[in-house]
Short mmCIF file of all heavy atoms in Angstrom, two decimals:
data_model
loop_
_atom_site.label_atom_id
_atom_site.label_comp_id
_atom_site.label_asym_id
_atom_site.label_seq_id
_atom_site.Cartn_x
_atom_site.Cartn_y
_atom_site.Cartn_z
N ILE A 152 24.60 38.72 -9.19
CA ILE A 152 25.76 38.33 -9.94
C ILE A 152 26.81 37.72 -9.00
O ILE A 152 27.11 38.41 -7.94
CB ILE A 152 26.41 39.57 -10.65
CG1 ILE A 152 25.45 40.16 -11.63
CG2 ILE A 152 27.69 39.25 -11.19
CD1 ILE A 152 25.96 41.37 -12.39
N VAL A 153 27.22 36.55 -9.16
CA VAL A 153 28.21 35.81 -8.48
C VAL A 153 29.44 35.85 -9.30
O VAL A 153 29.47 35.24 -10.49
CB VAL A 153 27.75 34.39 -8.14
CG1 VAL A 153 28.87 33.61 -7.42
CG2 VAL A 153 26.44 34.38 -7.26
N ALA A 154 30.59 36.38 -8.71
CA ALA A 154 31.81 36.35 -9.48
C ALA A 154 32.39 35.06 -9.72
O ALA A 154 32.21 34.10 -8.88
CB ALA A 154 32.77 37.36 -8.73
N PRO A 155 33.10 34.78 -10.77
CA PRO A 155 33.66 33.53 -11.01
C PRO A 155 34.94 33.16 -10.17
O PRO A 155 36.05 32.98 -10.69
CB PRO A 155 34.03 33.52 -12.50
CG PRO A 155 34.23 35.00 -12.76
CD PRO A 155 33.35 35.66 -11.88
N ARG A 156 34.69 33.16 -8.91
CA ARG A 156 35.80 32.88 -7.82
C ARG A 156 35.84 31.49 -7.60
O ARG A 156 34.86 30.73 -7.46
CB ARG A 156 35.55 33.61 -6.54
CG ARG A 156 36.48 33.38 -5.51
CD ARG A 156 37.76 34.33 -5.68
NE ARG A 156 37.37 35.72 -5.53
CZ ARG A 156 38.22 36.73 -5.69
NH1 ARG A 156 39.48 36.48 -5.90
NH2 ARG A 156 37.90 37.94 -5.58
N ILE A 157 37.06 30.81 -7.68
CA ILE A 157 37.22 29.40 -7.48
C ILE A 157 37.17 29.11 -5.96
O ILE A 157 38.01 29.55 -5.14
CB ILE A 157 38.54 28.88 -8.01
CG1 ILE A 157 38.57 29.10 -9.60
CG2 ILE A 157 38.72 27.43 -7.82
CD1 ILE A 157 39.85 28.80 -10.23
N ALA A 158 36.22 28.27 -5.60
CA ALA A 158 36.07 27.86 -4.16
C ALA A 158 36.67 26.61 -3.83
O ALA A 158 37.04 26.43 -2.74
CB ALA A 158 34.52 27.84 -3.79
N GLN A 159 36.82 25.72 -4.82
CA GLN A 159 37.44 24.39 -4.55
C GLN A 159 38.06 23.93 -5.85
O GLN A 159 37.43 24.06 -6.86
CB GLN A 159 36.34 23.47 -3.97
CG GLN A 159 36.96 22.11 -3.70
CD GLN A 159 35.89 21.19 -3.20
OE1 GLN A 159 34.70 21.51 -3.31
NE2 GLN A 159 36.18 20.05 -2.62
N VAL A 160 39.13 23.18 -5.77
CA VAL A 160 39.70 22.47 -6.87
C VAL A 160 39.84 21.02 -6.53
O VAL A 160 40.48 20.70 -5.52
CB VAL A 160 41.13 23.07 -7.19
CG1 VAL A 160 41.74 22.32 -8.44
CG2 VAL A 160 41.03 24.59 -7.59
N VAL A 161 39.36 20.11 -7.29
CA VAL A 161 39.37 18.71 -6.98
C VAL A 161 40.75 18.20 -7.47
O VAL A 161 41.04 18.32 -8.62
CB VAL A 161 38.24 18.03 -7.71
CG1 VAL A 161 38.26 16.43 -7.40
CG2 VAL A 161 36.90 18.56 -7.20
N PRO A 162 41.56 17.45 -6.55
CA PRO A 162 42.71 16.92 -7.02
C PRO A 162 42.64 15.94 -8.12
O PRO A 162 41.71 15.22 -8.18
CB PRO A 162 43.27 16.21 -5.65
CG PRO A 162 42.50 16.90 -4.52
CD PRO A 162 41.18 17.18 -5.14
N GLY A 163 43.60 15.82 -9.02
CA GLY A 163 43.54 14.89 -10.05
C GLY A 163 42.79 15.21 -11.30
O GLY A 163 42.65 14.41 -12.15
N THR A 164 42.18 16.43 -11.30
CA THR A 164 41.28 16.85 -12.44
C THR A 164 42.08 17.86 -13.35
O THR A 164 43.11 18.34 -12.92
CB THR A 164 40.11 17.50 -11.90
OG1 THR A 164 40.52 18.68 -11.09
CG2 THR A 164 39.23 16.53 -10.91
N PRO A 165 41.45 18.06 -14.46
CA PRO A 165 42.16 19.10 -15.48
C PRO A 165 42.37 20.35 -14.67
O PRO A 165 43.47 21.03 -14.96
CB PRO A 165 41.14 19.12 -16.55
CG PRO A 165 40.46 17.86 -16.59
CD PRO A 165 40.28 17.44 -15.14
N ALA A 166 41.47 20.90 -13.79
CA ALA A 166 41.76 22.16 -13.21
C ALA A 166 43.00 22.06 -12.24
O ALA A 166 43.79 23.03 -12.26
CB ALA A 166 40.50 22.51 -12.37
N ALA A 167 43.13 20.96 -11.50
CA ALA A 167 44.32 20.87 -10.72
C ALA A 167 45.54 20.71 -11.48
O ALA A 167 46.62 21.34 -11.13
CB ALA A 167 44.16 19.57 -9.80
N GLU A 168 45.62 19.95 -12.45
CA GLU A 168 46.76 19.92 -13.34
C GLU A 168 47.07 21.10 -14.04
O GLU A 168 48.27 21.35 -14.29
CB GLU A 168 46.44 18.75 -14.46
CG GLU A 168 46.25 17.35 -13.82
CD GLU A 168 45.86 16.35 -14.89
OE1 GLU A 168 45.67 16.75 -16.05
OE2 GLU A 168 45.65 15.17 -14.41
N ALA A 169 46.07 21.97 -14.37
CA ALA A 169 46.43 23.25 -14.98
C ALA A 169 46.97 24.31 -14.02
O ALA A 169 47.50 25.28 -14.40
CB ALA A 169 45.04 23.80 -15.61
N GLY A 170 46.86 24.08 -12.66
CA GLY A 170 47.47 24.98 -11.72
C GLY A 170 46.41 25.90 -11.07
O GLY A 170 46.81 26.91 -10.40
N PHE A 171 45.14 25.67 -11.13
CA PHE A 171 44.12 26.54 -10.48
C PHE A 171 44.24 26.29 -9.03
O PHE A 171 44.56 25.18 -8.53
CB PHE A 171 42.75 26.15 -10.96
CG PHE A 171 42.42 26.68 -12.33
CD1 PHE A 171 42.39 25.81 -13.47
CD2 PHE A 171 41.99 28.01 -12.56
CE1 PHE A 171 42.16 26.27 -14.66
CE2 PHE A 171 41.68 28.52 -13.89
CZ PHE A 171 41.80 27.60 -14.89
N ARG A 172 44.00 27.37 -8.24
CA ARG A 172 43.94 27.33 -6.80
C ARG A 172 42.76 28.06 -6.25
O ARG A 172 42.14 28.84 -6.89
CB ARG A 172 45.17 28.10 -6.17
CG ARG A 172 46.54 27.50 -6.60
CD ARG A 172 47.63 28.41 -5.97
NE ARG A 172 49.00 27.99 -6.47
CZ ARG A 172 50.02 28.64 -6.21
NH1 ARG A 172 50.04 29.80 -5.36
NH2 ARG A 172 51.25 28.30 -6.63
N ARG A 173 42.41 27.62 -5.01
CA ARG A 173 41.28 28.17 -4.38
C ARG A 173 41.63 29.68 -4.29
O ARG A 173 42.71 30.11 -3.79
CB ARG A 173 41.07 27.58 -2.98
CG ARG A 173 40.08 28.16 -2.12
CD ARG A 173 39.95 27.55 -0.72
NE ARG A 173 39.33 28.31 0.20
CZ ARG A 173 38.00 28.35 0.43
NH1 ARG A 173 37.14 27.61 -0.35
NH2 ARG A 173 37.41 29.11 1.41
N GLY A 174 40.63 30.50 -4.45
CA GLY A 174 40.67 31.93 -4.34
C GLY A 174 41.02 32.64 -5.68
O GLY A 174 40.87 33.84 -5.78
N ASP A 175 41.41 31.84 -6.69
CA ASP A 175 41.67 32.51 -8.04
C ASP A 175 40.36 33.05 -8.66
O ASP A 175 39.31 32.55 -8.41
CB ASP A 175 42.06 31.43 -9.04
CG ASP A 175 43.60 31.07 -8.74
OD1 ASP A 175 44.23 31.61 -7.86
OD2 ASP A 175 44.05 30.05 -9.45
N LEU A 176 40.48 34.20 -9.25
CA LEU A 176 39.32 34.89 -9.95
C LEU A 176 39.45 34.75 -11.38
O LEU A 176 40.45 35.27 -11.94
CB LEU A 176 39.14 36.24 -9.45
CG LEU A 176 38.05 37.06 -10.12
CD1 LEU A 176 36.70 36.54 -9.58
CD2 LEU A 176 38.15 38.62 -9.83
N ILE A 177 38.57 34.13 -12.08
CA ILE A 177 38.62 33.94 -13.56
C ILE A 177 38.09 35.26 -14.18
O ILE A 177 37.01 35.70 -13.83
CB ILE A 177 37.76 32.71 -14.03
CG1 ILE A 177 38.33 31.44 -13.44
CG2 ILE A 177 37.65 32.61 -15.53
CD1 ILE A 177 37.50 30.25 -13.72
#
Side-chain angles (χ1 to χ4, degrees):
I152 297 178
V153 179
R156 179 82 63 181
I157 298 177
Q159 181 184 13
V160 178
V161 180
T164 61
E168 294 173 0
F171 285 98
R172 297 180 188 174
R173 173 182 164 86
D175 287 349
L176 181 66
I177 298 174

